Amino acid sequence: MEGLPPLVDTHCHLAWDTLRDETDAVVARARAAGVEQMVVVATDARSAEASAAVCAGREGLFPTAGLHPNDIPEDYDAEWVRLEALLRSGRFVAVGETGLDTY
């Protein structure tokens, strides 16, 4: 958009299953609106891997890995080990989602 600086969406969930078939269209609409970069936020290890896959090959998209309190599995220890390994891989730009909101 003319007159606006480049925009960054710092929190989107492009890896959600409900967007699987329309990810490219969603990204195209965001770009048309002036969004040049997007941080694709995960809520657990599975969605972190999905976020990394969504971002792969798409310029300006960056994945995170994290664990939201609403998504803690029964085997928390195994999930944490998996998340820690993902974060140490260097493929993620941030830790999140972390559930720091106080709703």
Side-chain angles (χ1 to χ4, degrees):
M1 297 182 84
E2 197 170 320
L4 285 177
L7 300 175
V8 177
D9 184 339
T10 63
H11 189 117
C12 61
H13 293 279
L14 294 178
W16 279 358
D17 292 341
T18 55
L19 295 176
R20 181 175 305 141
D21 295 332
E22 54 187 303
T23 303
D24 288 328
V26 171
V27 171
R29 286 194 304 271
R31 296 220 192 279
V35 178
E36 292 187 9
Q37 297 180 340
M38 295 171 236
V39 178
V40 182
V41 178
T43 59
D44 59 13
R46 185 197 63 75
S47 63
E49 291 169 342
S51 292
V54 164
C55 294
R58 290 186 172 102
E59 188 175 336
L61 271 64
F62 304 94
T64 73
L67 183 60
H68 192 281
N70 292 345
D71 295 326
I72 294 175
E74 281 191 37
D75 192 354
Y76 171 79
D77 291 332
E79 182 76 359
W80 187 251
V81 167
R82 189 172 164 201
L83 274 169
E84 189 174 11
L86 288 170
L87 288 165
R88 290 184 187 281
S89 74
R91 298 184 304 158
F92 300 90
V93 298
V95 175
E97 174 115 26
T98 59
L100 295 178
D101 42 359
T102 57
Y103 59 90

